[in-house]
Amino acid sequence: MDPKPVPAARATRRAGKHTRQVLFDAATELFLEHGEAVSIARICTAADAHPNQVTYYYGSKEKLFVEVACAAILRAGKQAELDAADAATIGDYTHKLVGSLLGTASPSVEIFVEAMVMTGRRGELRDLISTTLRTLHASGEAALLGTLTRTGWQLRASIDVEAKAFWSAIFGLVVQKTATGESFGYSLEEAVAVIFATLRIPDAVLNQSMN
């Protein structure tokens, strides 16, 4: 018995989802490597698509960039938590967390910072950034709460404030790195020290076991 034919409308939707995803994947790779300056033409060449398809599926290159940046920073945040999951002490936990975000994940953090700056000129994109920040902060709160539960570490501010302070410090360090390039003066140890100071983690706590 011949398979039931797929209705034309459903086939069109599937093709549209595929094209949208291919554009997103191509843009992700290029934006992470080169930043927002990548042209629509270059994205379309990589995706084997047409420039009008970027407009059709995303509205503009800027919206595509912001969507890519938001997805990238959420992946980076999850990966950083995984990278720090086996830490033995609070100091080691923070070191691994920051090392992940300012190391292998730094392109993701950098394009999200670019995207945040872009929303100052493109107000219609702010909801994407705001939603992503809320998700980041909520995830940070959950991770911090898990750390507190295991160690008994007492925060000096509310947990939501501490989570926001952590990400604000990370973004600030990345802005400095982006602005100064090779002259960026922070080693990983110094960057971690900035985070310690921002979160006001006492020295006596840093060697505390995570178990």
Side-chain angles (χ1 to χ4, degrees):
M1 187 175 181
D2 292 336
K4 201 171 183 178
V6 177
R10 188 184 304 171
T12 299
R13 286 195 298 272
R14 285 182 181 174
K17 287 181 180 178
H18 174 73
T19 299
R20 194 181 197 282
Q21 188 62 50
V22 169
L23 281 166
F24 188 87
D25 292 343
T28 296
E29 183 174 346
L30 289 167
F31 285 144
L32 284 173
E33 184 174 356
H34 303 289
E36 190 269 335
V38 176
S39 68
I40 289 179
R42 189 168 180 183
I43 294 168
C44 290
T45 297
D48 193 22
H50 302 289
N52 64 345
Q53 290 178 305
V54 172
T55 304
Y56 180 80
Y57 290 109
Y58 290 97
S60 65
K61 188 192 83 168
E62 289 77 15
K63 187 170 185 294
L64 172 58
F65 177 74
V66 172
E67 287 198 26
V68 165
C70 289
I73 193 64
L74 292 177
R75 286 196 306 273
K78 288 180 180 178
Q79 186 58 53
E81 290 174 16
L82 289 173
D83 290 343
D86 63 348
T89 65
I90 290 178
D92 186 36
Y93 175 80
T94 309
H95 195 282
K96 288 184 175 181
L97 205 63
V98 175
S100 179
L101 291 169
L102 297 183
T104 55
S106 62
S108 297
V109 185
E110 288 169 15
I111 66 168
F112 186 71
V113 168
E114 280 189 78
M116 286 194 290
V117 172
M118 181 185 293
T119 61
R121 306 187 301 271
R122 301 290 298 269
E124 72 277 10
L125 302 177
R126 286 177 185 156
D127 284 348
L128 286 168
I129 294 294
S130 296
T131 298
T132 300
L133 284 171
R134 283 194 294 270
T135 302
L136 276 180
H137 295 156
S139 179
E141 287 177 39
L144 193 53
L145 181 60
T147 302
L148 293 174
T149 301
R150 292 196 303 274
T151 64
W153 169 32
Q154 298 296 311
L155 297 175
R156 298 186 185 183
S158 64
I159 196 166
D160 60 320
V161 170
E162 297 287 10
K164 290 174 183 176
F166 172 81
W167 279 106
S168 294
I170 290 292
F171 294 144
L173 288 167
V174 168
V175 167
Q176 292 180 62
K177 180 181 178 183
T178 302
T180 58
E182 292 301 320
S183 63
F184 180 64
Y186 287 101
S187 65
L188 176 57
E189 287 70 24
E190 289 169 325
V192 171
V194 169
I195 303 299
F196 289 162
T198 300
L199 297 181
R200 295 178 295 178
I201 305 176
D203 290 342
V205 172
L206 298 181
N207 292 325
Q208 191 170 326
S209 173
M210 291 285 291
N211 301 317

